[in-house]
Amino acid sequence: MGLRFITPRKVEKQYRKIFAMNLEDIAINETKPFFDLRGRELVLVRTGEKEVKAISTTCTHLGCKVHWEADKNIFFCPCHNGIFNPDGAVLDGPPPRPLDTYRVQVEGKVVYLYSETSES
Amino acid sequence: MSLTGWIKKSFPIDDEAMAEMSSEPIPNHLKKWWWALGGTPAYMFIVQLVTGFMLIFYYVPDPNQAYESVKHISEGVSFGWLIRGVHRWSANIMIASLILHMMRVFFTKSYRAPRELNWMFGVIIFVVMLVFGFTGYSLVYEQMSYWAMQVGTEIAGATPVIGPWLASFLKGGDMIGQNTLTRFYAFHVMILPVVSMMLIAVHVYLIRTLGVTDLRFKGEERDDRKTFPFWPDHAMTELIMVSLIMLFLLVLVLVFPPHLGEMADPNNTPLHIKPEWYFYPVFRWLKITNMTWGVIGPMIFLVLLFFWPFVDSFFEKLFPKKDVAFWIGVIGALTITAFLVWETLAVH
């Protein structure tokens, strides 16, 4: 009972579809910072005419925030020198997997994102 | 009845037992001050307790107020900077002196029978003190605090088997936030002090019952070994040592008063981020290894350190004429020092 008391309750993740941006807000290959419903920063990358990726800026190694280094075209994690390419794939350093991505939906000229809700 | 008589009657003390306790024979090498530094971590721990209790009067364990309350302690409360400075520096001196004390015990092989168990208690105390330091600087809720909490809880999360539970337990959920700070606060001001006091009491009890290792130096015959009483001779040496250490502590606080970095920002890890110096070797290790070895490596080191008296005994039987323990100690100490220097000098 004591162990259960000090262990936080596991709440099933819940997602909500939210407005992220209009397609014309950024040109192809441009990025735009965005915050999900839990206040976590992510980056929206327009990868094509009607294609948008939403990449988490949380390093998959130990959870630090990566920095976008435009001159080198990489995401860099200052904690343990993890390096990711613009798609989030690991290029160098200790991260065990690519940067996480969010589910994105493009409807006409509007981009929607599925974000974890703050209750989860 | 006089006051002294009343106290003696109400609180009976066995004078003979007290005299016996205070006249414990101390080996002669402890007359030299550099052999009498083993108590330093304990003195620093007492300073930590006193200043820590004072800081509790003003600190607010809330993510929205923690940083401001520390700022208020440093800038608005009378002598707040001094109390916080003494708390911070005594923590650093405590960990530094613990490391030196453990190295002394290691290289003089004072962990050997019958003191194996006390060495093991010592290693546990060392780990507890590191957790103390980690939870302590996390409470400040500046950038370094926040990212230390993030990295620290993620490392805990990568522990085999219990990792996910441990990370969730430490964070109080799946993200760093109010619950994390409350839990760290509970550990720092309640759980760890009680655990530490019990461990230190056992450690000191075992030192008193097993006695201090009698070190023999070159040219000293077995018969040369002499002892001297704890009271008043050694007590005086300790008193002088404490006074000098306190003076050193005050000088450090006056010359390097405690600074306060930027307030924690969960969406921005600073480009130049480092933990406290005692975590530098592990921080560097995490940069050059993959996730699994990054976490398992330090664990293996701690397990090896914990069981060292038995590992040493195994090597002793295997290579009776070679001082394997000494060379493993030298290589270990040099490697850790190299990692520490590397991380100190490296920008990233």
Side-chain angles (χ1 to χ4, degrees), chain A residues 3 5-8 13 35 38-42 57-58 60-67 69 76-81 93-96 116 120, chain B residues 147 150-151 154-155 158 165 168-169 171-175 183 265-273 282-284 286-291 295 348:
Chain A
L3 195 66
F5 176 77
I6 58 170
T7 305
K13 285 182 180 178
F35 293 88
R38 300 192 76 186
R40 293 175 298 197
E41 194 184 33
L42 57 120
T57 54
T58 302
T60 51
H61 181 222
L62 292 169
C64 296
K65 283 286 171 183
V66 296
H67 287 250
E69 295 194 350
F76 173 70
C77 178
C79 281
H80 302 99
N81 302 344
E116 244 182 84
S120 53
Chain B
W147 295 106
Q150 176 63 47
V151 171
E154 287 292 320
I155 290 174
W165 176 84
S168 165
F169 165 70
K171 286 180 189 171
D174 65 343
M175 273 174 76
R183 281 167 187 242
D265 178 356
N267 275 312
N268 177 29
T269 308
L271 265 175
H272 303 289
I273 184 95
V282 177
F283 201 63
R284 175 50 59 179
L286 284 163
K287 287 179 182 176
I288 59 168
T289 53
N290 64 24
M291 184 81 167
V295 175
H348 282 301

Side-chain angles (χ1 to χ4, degrees), chain B residues 21-218:
Chain B
M21 267 175 70
S22 59
S23 63
E24 180 199 358
I26 303 290
N28 238 19
H29 71 270
L30 282 169
K31 276 188 175 170
K32 296 182 174 77
W33 68 266
W34 55 90
W35 290 108
L37 287 163
T40 311
Y43 305 134
M44 290 299 103
F45 181 71
I46 294 166
V47 173
Q48 293 268 285
L49 282 184
V50 174
T51 51
F53 286 140
M54 292 167 93
L55 292 171
I56 290 174
F57 281 68
Y58 292 98
Y59 178 75
V60 185
D62 176 310
N64 297 317
Q65 296 179 64
Y67 181 84
E68 284 304 323
S69 69
V70 175
K71 197 172 181 189
H72 176 60
I73 290 169
S74 310
E75 295 168 8
V77 178
S78 305
F79 296 107
W81 63 274
L82 181 68
I83 301 300
R84 188 177 156 231
V86 169
H87 192 71
R88 187 178 183 277
W89 274 112
S90 57
N92 281 286
I93 297 176
M94 182 175 73
I95 290 176
S97 55
L98 260 179
I99 294 169
L100 293 174
H101 175 63
M102 286 178 80
M103 284 174 72
R104 201 278 295 159
V105 173
F106 186 97
F107 285 111
T108 55
K109 297 186 174 64
S110 304
Y111 51 78
R112 285 185 172 172
R115 298 180 182 83
E116 303 99 320
L117 190 64
N118 212 16
W119 164 266
M120 292 161 103
F121 272 110
V123 174
I124 298 172
I125 291 173
F126 177 62
V127 174
V128 168
M129 292 305 160
L130 288 181
V131 180
F132 235 133
F134 169 63
T135 51
Y137 75 79
S138 296
L139 294 182
V140 180
Y141 224 67
E142 57 182 8
Q143 278 285 56
M144 186 179 82
S145 317
Y146 183 88
W147 295 106
M149 275 198 272
Q150 176 63 47
V151 171
T153 50
E154 287 292 320
I155 290 174
T159 310
V161 189
I162 58 161
W165 176 84
L166 194 59
S168 165
F169 165 70
L170 290 172
K171 286 180 189 171
D174 65 343
M175 273 174 76
I176 302 286
Q178 174 66 68
N179 288 348
T180 323
L181 198 60
T182 312
R183 281 167 187 242
F184 275 45
Y185 184 65
F187 270 105
H188 194 74
V189 308
M190 271 296 297
I191 301 164
L192 292 175
V194 172
V195 170
S196 305
M197 280 191 274
M198 290 194 295
L199 287 168
I200 292 169
V202 175
H203 194 65
V204 173
Y205 171 78
L206 285 175
I207 292 171
R208 296 296 303 263
T209 46
L210 299 171
V212 178
T213 313
D214 193 359
L215 300 175
R216 264 176 284 165
F217 301 98
K218 275 184 184 170

Side-chain angles (χ1 to χ4, degrees), chain A residues 19-74:
Chain A
F19 170 79
M21 65 170 186
N22 290 312
L23 262 182
E24 64 257 33
D25 286 353
I26 51 171
I28 293 171
N29 288 333
E30 271 190 0
T31 62
K32 186 188 177 189
F34 188 74
F35 293 88
D36 70 7
L37 290 173
R38 300 192 76 186
R40 293 175 298 197
E41 194 184 33
L42 57 120
V43 177
L44 297 166
V45 191
R46 188 167 173 192
T47 49
E49 196 56 47
K50 285 218 160 209
E51 270 177 39
V52 173
K53 269 191 171 181
I55 303 172
S56 164
T57 54
T58 302
C59 181
T60 51
H61 181 222
L62 292 169
C64 296
K65 283 286 171 183
V66 296
H67 287 250
W68 172 247
E69 295 194 350
D71 53 331
K72 294 175 189 160
N73 216 27
I74 54 160

